[in-house]
């Protein structure tokens, strides 16, 4: 849960005693510095949960459009982030450089290259190898993230397709659908879905 006023996260705590005790969410800035620190008040957890149920039912009312929009947004992001780096080309250059590196060391052992020339060539090859390894790692990581995102999207679409309505708060569904809640003001929050779609709701 994120504060729309100061940008800090909310923290979960409890208010009241005994049977009147209930979970609430409060902005960290407000908790530490009071009303002067942040104007966003505390929120009852049950209000957030009720708002989530209403959001899900709004989405389910036109779930085919929602699913299409979610998939389109993900595909768009992937197209924008698509790497033009050719892993085969990186691996080929790495192999060549490693061969050059081995040849340089061997030549130095046999003939004793000038220290300055040897040092410069050694640094050039080693530096390029590290650069390529870093680039390769970034590409591999991006592909892992892409596959994880596609997996989450499949989970989300399967859940939505199987549902007609949500009667009460479902923590597991919340975890699948929602990335964060942004508290806009006293009466309005935005549920930011894992697909990137934001849905505003009154609390």
């Amino acid at each position: 849960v994120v504060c729309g006023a100061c940008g800090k996260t909310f923290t979960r705590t409890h208010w009241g005693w005994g049977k009147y005790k209930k979970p609430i969410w409060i902005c960290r800035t407000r908790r530490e510095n009071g009303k002067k620190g942040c104007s966003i008040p505390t929120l009852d957890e049950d209000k957030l949960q009720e708002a989530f149920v209403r959001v899900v039912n709004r989405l389910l009312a036109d779930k085919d459009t929602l699913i299409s929009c979610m998939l389109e947004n993900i595909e768009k992001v992937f197209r924008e982030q698509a790497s033009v780096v050719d892993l085969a080309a990186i691996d080929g250059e790495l192999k060549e450089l490693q061969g050059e590196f081995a040849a340089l060391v061997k030549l130095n052992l046999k003939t004793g290259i000038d220290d300055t020339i040897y040092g410069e060539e050694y640094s050039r090859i080693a530096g390029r190898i590290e650069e390529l390894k870093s680039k390769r790692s970034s590409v591999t990581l991006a592909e892992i993230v892409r596959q994880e995102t596609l997996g989450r999207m499949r989970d989300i679409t399967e859940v939505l397709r199987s549902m007609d309505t949500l009667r009460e708060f479902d923590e597991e569904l919340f975890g699948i659908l929602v990335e964060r809640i942004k508290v806009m003001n006293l009466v309005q929050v935005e549920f930011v879905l894992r697909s990137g779609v934001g849905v505003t709701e009154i609390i």
Side-chain angles (χ1 to χ4, degrees), residues 150-199:
L150 287 173
R152 288 201 303 269
M153 286 302 302
R154 283 192 289 269
D155 291 342
I156 291 171
T157 54
E158 286 176 12
V159 168
L160 291 175
R161 288 187 193 283
S162 68
M163 294 178 63
D164 291 319
T165 187
L166 181 66
R167 299 187 182 281
E168 60 184 19
F169 180 75
D170 185 311
E171 185 173 350
E172 184 177 3
L173 180 62
F174 179 87
I176 292 173
L177 287 178
V178 180
E179 179 178 322
R180 67 181 181 277
I181 301 174
K182 185 177 182 179
V183 183
M184 310 299 292
N185 50 52
L186 177 63
V187 296
Q188 195 174 45
V189 295
E190 180 185 28
F191 289 86
V192 181
L193 307 184
R194 293 189 182 278
S195 63
V197 176
V199 184

Side-chain angles (χ1 to χ4, degrees), residues 2-5 10 25 30 35 38-44 47-48 51 54 182-190 200-203:
V2 180
C3 181
F10 274 57
W25 289 80
R30 187 181 179 101
K35 295 180 181 179
C38 183
S39 60
I40 301 294
T42 57
L43 299 172
D44 290 349
K47 296 291 184 183
L48 290 175
R54 292 195 298 274
K182 185 177 182 179
V183 183
M184 310 299 292
N185 50 52
L186 177 63
V187 296
Q188 195 174 45
V189 295
E190 180 185 28
T200 302
E201 180 60 37
I202 302 298
I203 55 173

Side-chain angles (χ1 to χ4, degrees), residues 72-156:
E72 184 179 329
N73 283 346
I74 289 296
E75 288 173 2
K76 180 181 178 182
V77 170
F78 283 161
R79 285 196 301 270
E80 292 173 350
Q81 295 179 346
S83 174
V84 295
V85 178
D86 185 345
L87 284 178
I90 290 178
D91 289 340
E93 187 176 349
L94 276 171
K95 188 175 181 179
E96 289 180 9
L97 287 168
Q98 286 163 351
E100 287 183 31
F101 191 80
L104 177 67
V105 173
K106 186 176 181 180
L107 182 63
N108 185 52
L109 290 173
K110 280 188 174 183
T111 63
I113 304 172
D114 178 81
D115 287 345
T116 301
I117 295 175
Y118 177 78
E120 289 176 352
E121 193 63 8
Y122 185 99
S123 296
R124 179 189 69 80
I125 296 173
R128 181 58 179 164
I129 286 175
E130 286 304 310
E131 182 183 333
L132 289 171
K133 284 183 176 179
S134 177
K135 185 179 291 186
R136 196 185 195 290
S137 296
S138 297
V139 173
T140 304
L141 179 60
E143 180 59 22
I144 291 173
V145 171
R146 177 178 178 277
Q147 292 300 327
E148 288 177 347
T149 302
L150 287 173
R152 288 201 303 269
M153 286 302 302
R154 283 192 289 269
D155 291 342
I156 291 171

